[in-house]
Amino acid sequence: MTTDVVKADAAAGERGLTRKTARRLAWAERTVYGAAGTWAAIGPAMDLPWWAHGAALATGALTGVGLWKRSGTDDWTRRLTSSLRALPVLGWTAAYTGGLLVPVFDYPNGWPMLGAAAWTAVMIPMTPWTRSKGLKRAVDNLPVLAGEPEVVDAEPVTFADHMRALWNRSQATGDTSLEEIWQYDFDGPDFEAIVLAPAGHTVPRTLDERAIAGVFDVPVDAVATAPVPGYGPGRLAIQVAPRLAEARRVREALEVEAEDPGAALERIWAEHVNNTGGAAPGVDLVAYAIGEDQIRLRIAAPRGKTLRVNHEALCSALGIDDISRLVMEGAGPREAVVYIYRANPLLHVRPPTKEDLTMDDRGRISIGVAHDGTVARIQLFNFDTGRAQHGITAGTTGAGKSGLMRLFGAAQRISGVISWMADVQGGMSMPEMEGRIDWFAKGPEETMQQLRALHAVKRYREDHSNGRGDFDFHGPWRLIQWTGDEINRLLSSLDQDVRKEAAWMIGDLQKTGQKVGIGIDLAVQSLHLKELGDNHEIREKGKEGHVFLLRTASSSTQGMGLDGIAPIGAHISPIPERIYEGAGAKELFEGTANTEGVPTPGMGWLITEGKAVLFRTFVLKKVNGLYPQLQELMDGHPMPTLTEGEARAAGAAYAHRGTAAAKEAGKAAGGPSRPPQGPVGSGAPEGEPEPATGAPEAFSKDKERGAEKLPEAPSPMAAATGKAPTIRERILAALKDHPEGLALKEIRTAVGCGTEGGPATRSVNNEVSSLANEGGLKALGRGVYRLP
């Protein structure tokens, strides 16, 4: 006979007690016991009306009557729960009654109080009301037997017993039984068994892999069936192996990924990048290209969102330990291209060639190799605007700034550009440049002479350009490129006058030199204003052409270099000091990690023409502290110099620059190397001679005869300060043209407040007040003044 196991319905009004509900009910019950026990101790001794004491006694009596009525039932659980619920009330009434009987029996008042305290101490931990609720619910939910009682099998103990229990409880298995269960591993779920039908019956056709998978709640592919050899359809061999199925799926996926690496890439992206908690949730893998040494990914954020991907998090998601092997280039606000390399592509860079360092028809030279193997170029001259180009290079000590400046000097000489370079460190940074460029200044003093001479040449070109607003590259004047290495040393000099004059000259050359063919390149360790002579324009104007961000010592320098020019979607990753191949966690743990590493001087980011490119400068071999290959490239080309008129403007410092050996090195036959000359335009005075090669011949003859001595180029800042009228002189001049008087606001406008180089508003206000107090001005009314 089959016995059905059912659940008894909960009694009406009874609610289930969850653990949280039970804790709250017990807390409330204990609070009531504490208050009731206190009242049972002090209430009987208080002068209360008779009905107040009577209510306490009546409560106990009614509770006793109710308990007596419930005790007549055969339901033992009801009797037990009723007793638990009546116990607190009966005990409290007894303690209260004892307190009322003190005057009657004349025994000490402390005994009733002790009884109330004992009742409270027992009830609080016991919480009989809460226990009665839990007991009632537990009994109501016990399984009861429908029909005649039968002996119920015990709970399964072994793995085989548990599998048989699952089989017997399933309606899909019918009258069959599960026999000969063999578990593969003691701690695993995989097993084999025989399905046995009753004698004379067959195993139902409906008992297939899907039905068996439902019995044991496993994937369908984890179940296999087969006939039992030597037996008929009354037996069926089954295999239920979820672990083996999982291993098979993984193996098949690996085989597919081995044949199609793109499948592995898509899986990794879906599992570790574009999912909740991944490296870049919401970022889609749009397309990819897998090569032998490089993988390119095109990724995109959803429309209406901007692409924000953490470089380190993406490396972690893709299993890349060396973050320098992953490069991300932005392509707008929501898309980017990710490059993944087998090894850092910039560890080994070739040396430069003559073609690299020769200016092309767009005014560009190549200074290194980009991470994708293309050359990294910058513009020395923009033929579209007719202007020379400025640049700024930021990098800490050893980052490769001087190496980059060497390439600038070599490219300028090869391309026919007049190269002036200043090494404020005294010539130690670029010794190869001495005698191989037109003017190599060493130390702060010579650098200041060079800047004054350059400013004088700028004024000379402005005076003789006949109002031309751009530079005629094919005209009589050569493009001049001034490069200042370690310029921070000059712009942060302790000598305040030197610092101010240098900052003023560099800033003025940056603002006005481009139109007359003068470009400025600065190499600095820091871009903080304190290191740039407190001149904000030096940093901003230097970023107009090209910016090199090599390895920096602080993120603030990188931020200042990118501020205002960072391409949309640019992802600038930091440059490490060394790159260690084969130094992952596994190698560190095993003690086989590479401890030498490859230094990274010259590696950095080039920001130019609206793009940010990871690159490294061409690498040259150093021999005895010099670079002979670079010297050979430069020595094969003539050295371009100033015209005679420009040389006169540059003054004595330019005429006496360098040594005799350097002057001899500058001489070359056949004229300078430069692009083909066009017709001479109106950018130079009529009759201006062509630029000379080496030291100007006229100057050499004059010096030999001793017939002419050139003066030093004057300080442009001192000259400007000497010629500039004072604020008082400006105010008086403005009022002289307006005898009827001017309002204070009109005076400020007339003297140039708010214009570049104009006086401050407060200074003008103070000067007007001083003149009025001294009688130099007459006040006509509120804020209106005229000359007396």
Side-chain angles (χ1 to χ4, degrees), residues 662-681:
K663 293 175 183 178
E664 291 297 324
K667 297 178 181 179
S673 172
R674 61 181 302 170
Q677 296 288 331
V680 177

Side-chain angles (χ1 to χ4, degrees), residues 226-258:
V228 179
Y231 293 90
R235 297 173 185 258
L236 180 68
I238 66 171
Q239 180 191 53
V240 181
R243 282 191 180 178
L244 289 179
E246 176 65 22
R248 183 174 61 253
R249 287 192 295 270
V250 171
R251 185 173 62 255
E252 292 173 353
L254 292 176
E255 291 174 356
V256 171
E257 292 177 359

Side-chain angles (χ1 to χ4, degrees), residues 36 93 123 131 165 169 199 248 371 378 416 418 630 636 712 779:
T93 303
M123 291 297 106
R131 290 178 184 273
R169 291 174 188 173
R248 183 174 61 253
H371 66 88
I378 62 168
I418 298 175
L630 191 65
E712 289 286 351

Side-chain angles (χ1 to χ4, degrees), residues 337-418:
V337 176
V338 178
Y339 298 83
I340 303 172
Y341 295 96
R342 188 181 300 276
N344 187 291
L346 299 176
L347 289 181
H348 307 287
V349 176
R350 65 178 176 84
T353 63
K354 175 184 173 181
E355 289 72 22
D356 292 323
L357 303 180
T358 302
M359 187 188 301
D360 63 13
D361 56 359
R362 288 185 54 192
R364 302 178 303 177
I365 60 170
S366 302
I367 46 81
V369 178
H371 66 88
D372 59 355
T374 60
V375 293
R377 296 186 177 95
I378 62 168
Q379 271 192 324
L380 294 182
F381 186 78
N382 190 328
F383 284 95
D384 296 330
T385 62
R387 296 189 177 189
Q389 296 294 287
H390 298 325
I392 195 164
T393 301
T396 188
T397 302
K401 299 188 300 296
S402 298
L404 183 57
M405 300 303 109
R406 288 186 183 94
L407 292 173
F408 283 175
Q412 289 157 13
R413 175 164 174 175
I414 293 172
S415 301
V417 177
I418 298 175

Side-chain angles (χ1 to χ4, degrees), residues 484-503:
D485 192 19
E486 300 290 350
I487 202 65
N488 287 112
R489 293 172 177 261
L490 191 65
L491 295 177
S492 59
S493 171
L494 295 177
D495 190 326
Q496 184 175 357
D497 294 335
V498 171
R499 182 172 68 249
K500 287 186 176 180
E501 183 181 1

